[in-house]
Amino acid sequence: KDREGLTGLVSHLDDVDDETLEFATYAVSLARQWWPLSAKCSAERALEDVLRCHCNAFAVLLPTPALAHHKRPAMAGLGTRHGLAKEIGLAICPKAAVFNHSCAANAFARVRLRPGQSPSVEIRAIAPISNGEEICISYADSVGDVTQRRKVLRDSFFFDCRCERCVAEETTPTPSFVIEGDAAAKATALEASSDPTARLVYAPLARCLESEAAGEPLAPHVGGIVLENLRHAFGPAFGDEWGDR
């Protein structure tokens, strides 16, 4: 059933570069050994399924402020989103993958992990959505300027973005923010970004780390709208586990 759900997704078999194709071919050889369903289909179909997963997967993110201090060194080698959320894996969910992209997304996709339950991909609003308005998510980091964003989307997802924000920036460019430095500098840059996901999801995480670095309780920055933004993005229970740090 899960495998059949992949057929509605685009594989971009004719678009991927040689390196990606080589990796996908190797992944197919492993899958055909360890995944019984893949051994029942042709090698060509298995290759397209692997590429469908590659092009439509969601990052499994673990917010750094929610991670106990003693657990952070073990995850130092993992990829991060501005150093604010660890990328601990990938998930594929065909139903969630059909949402279109916008660099001014009004929703945020996150993979929810719950002990004893199957993972799920949830689409959560990060802005008011009117009746009949399309719900869009961001496929990639949308902090950069229009040229940077379009390059990432073209290289990874094979389309030239024509969302409202990109079209507006063709004539009125917005500054490109460099997200680096300490938590306070990152928070300031993210809060000034025209990317809603940066402002409403990642900036509050940076403010939490800023409080942590100053030895202050997290409460001042996880109350009110900041906590609401975090819980909107990562779930109602976000922050409940901080007490064990």
Side-chain angles (χ1 to χ4, degrees):
K1 180 180 179 181
D2 291 339
R3 180 169 148 266
E4 290 305 315
L6 292 175
T7 58
L9 304 179
V10 179
S11 70
H12 292 291
L13 177 61
D14 297 328
D15 299 316
V16 296
D17 56 30
D18 291 341
E19 183 178 356
T20 301
L21 189 59
E22 182 179 353
F23 169 80
T25 302
Y26 174 68
V28 167
S29 68
L30 294 180
R32 290 175 73 82
Q33 292 181 52
W34 300 105
W35 188 24
L37 281 176
S38 67
K40 295 180 180 180
C41 66
S42 66
E44 291 77 12
R45 167 64 192 274
L47 177 61
E48 287 208 69
D49 280 352
V50 168
L51 288 173
R52 288 185 178 104
C53 292
H54 173 75
C55 296
N56 294 278
F58 293 90
V60 182
L61 300 175
L62 182 62
T64 303
L67 187 62
H69 279 291
H70 68 277
K71 297 179 180 178
R72 295 182 190 180
M75 296 189 174
L78 297 177
T80 67
R81 297 292 176 90
H82 310 301
L84 303 172
K86 297 288 187 179
E87 298 179 5
I88 61 173
L90 296 172
I92 182 70
C93 178
K95 290 183 178 179
V98 300
F99 283 89
N100 285 326
H101 164 86
S102 172
C103 294
N106 54 18
F108 175 75
R110 67 108 177 194
V111 181
R112 187 174 186 184
L113 305 176
R114 291 166 289 186
Q117 299 185 45
S118 298
S120 62
V121 177
E122 298 180 345
I123 308 297
R124 292 179 172 268
I126 56 174
I129 301 175
S130 303
N131 186 30
E133 180 183 356
E134 182 179 13
I135 299 174
C136 293
I137 61 177
S138 179
Y139 290 178
D141 189 348
S142 296
V143 172
D145 61 28
V146 61
T147 301
Q148 294 171 321
R149 297 196 309 270
R150 281 179 170 170
K151 183 181 187 310
V152 170
L153 292 168
R154 190 181 304 112
D155 290 347
S156 300
F157 301 99
F158 312 104
F159 70 92
D160 290 308
C161 187
R162 300 288 301 169
C163 72
E164 182 179 353
R165 180 182 168 198
C166 282
V167 171
E169 288 185 18
E170 289 178 345
T171 54
T172 309
T174 58
S176 177
F177 292 91
V178 178
I179 312 301
E180 59 183 18
D182 60 16
K186 289 181 179 180
T188 300
L190 289 163
E191 288 167 351
S193 172
S194 53
D195 173 22
T197 306
R199 294 196 311 273
L200 300 174
V201 177
Y202 293 109
L205 293 177
R207 289 299 180 197
C208 289
L209 290 179
E210 179 187 11
S211 286
E212 179 183 86
E216 300 171 355
L218 293 175
H221 288 308
V222 296
I225 191 170
V226 171
L227 182 56
E228 286 304 306
N229 288 339
L230 290 172
R231 287 180 168 167
H232 236 344
F234 295 105
F238 183 85
D240 291 353
E241 64 272 45
W242 288 347
D244 67 2
R245 297 193 312 171

